[in-house]
Amino acid sequence: MTQYKGNEPKSIAYTAVANVTGGRNGRGISTEPDLDLKLDTPVAMGGKGEGTNPEQLFAIGWGACFQGALGLAGKEMRIAGSKLAQCKLRSHVSIGDEGESFGIKAKMEVYLPGIDRETAEKLVNRTQELCPYSKATAGNVPTEIVVVDSLD
């Protein structure tokens, strides 16, 4: 078995556990709280698109984590919580051919109304340094994070 021997958290606050059967066309179950998802390959990849796919789950997880880390970066930079509460984020996770298998790439669009562009870009850059998902994918997943004027 391969095990990464890099930096580990000093303490573990929570561990998510999921049981998956059938791969992309199967079922994923997690508890505490209960989550039971039908999994299906997207239509664009030849599936029926009748269930959730791993890229959707990764996009939601990374987006939620990034937005949480944004709050931490905002506190560091002394940005009012009321301004950060208006933040909206759209995360994209794409999958495609990469040699003999597949690879992913990501894009985050961050909308920060009421925060000037220069401060917003500094905030987003610091967030990327703090977000566990961003750290986990750094150097492994081509990622673009951009401050946008709207998500419409």
Side-chain angles (χ1 to χ4, degrees):
M1 293 289 191
T2 301
Q3 184 175 1
Y4 172 70
K5 303 222 186 233
N7 297 329
E8 289 190 29
K10 291 183 189 217
S11 65
I12 301 297
Y14 171 76
T15 299
V17 177
N19 294 308
V20 179
T21 56
R24 286 186 168 273
N25 298 308
R27 185 173 176 194
I29 300 172
S30 184
T31 57
E32 298 179 18
D34 292 346
L35 181 63
D36 188 343
L37 297 173
K38 177 181 177 183
L39 305 174
D40 197 6
T41 302
V43 173
M45 293 176 65
K48 295 179 183 175
E50 295 176 353
T52 304
N53 64 65
E55 293 72 37
Q56 290 172 310
L57 295 169
F58 194 29
I60 290 169
W62 194 351
C65 188
F66 194 90
Q67 200 160 30
L70 189 77
L72 183 60
K75 284 181 185 177
E76 250 183 36
M77 295 175 63
R78 300 176 193 251
I79 297 172
S82 59
K83 286 187 177 184
L84 294 174
Q86 297 175 46
C87 170
K88 293 182 183 178
L89 187 138
R90 180 179 295 139
S91 55
H92 308 249
V93 173
S94 303
I95 186 169
D97 294 336
E98 180 185 69
E100 295 179 14
S101 64
F102 294 92
I104 60 171
K105 73 176 196 173
K107 179 178 180 179
M108 297 279 182
E109 297 174 285
V110 185
Y111 174 56
L112 293 158
I115 299 176
D116 67 87
R117 173 69 67 159
E118 183 180 341
T119 302
E121 288 177 358
K122 287 179 184 176
L123 176 64
V124 165
N125 288 336
R126 180 62 178 141
T127 300
Q128 191 168 4
E129 295 171 351
L130 295 171
C131 173
Y133 276 63
S134 295
K135 290 190 291 186
T137 57
N140 300 309
V141 175
T143 303
E144 178 185 10
I145 300 182
V146 295
V147 174
V148 297
D149 295 328
S150 170
L151 288 177
D152 295 333

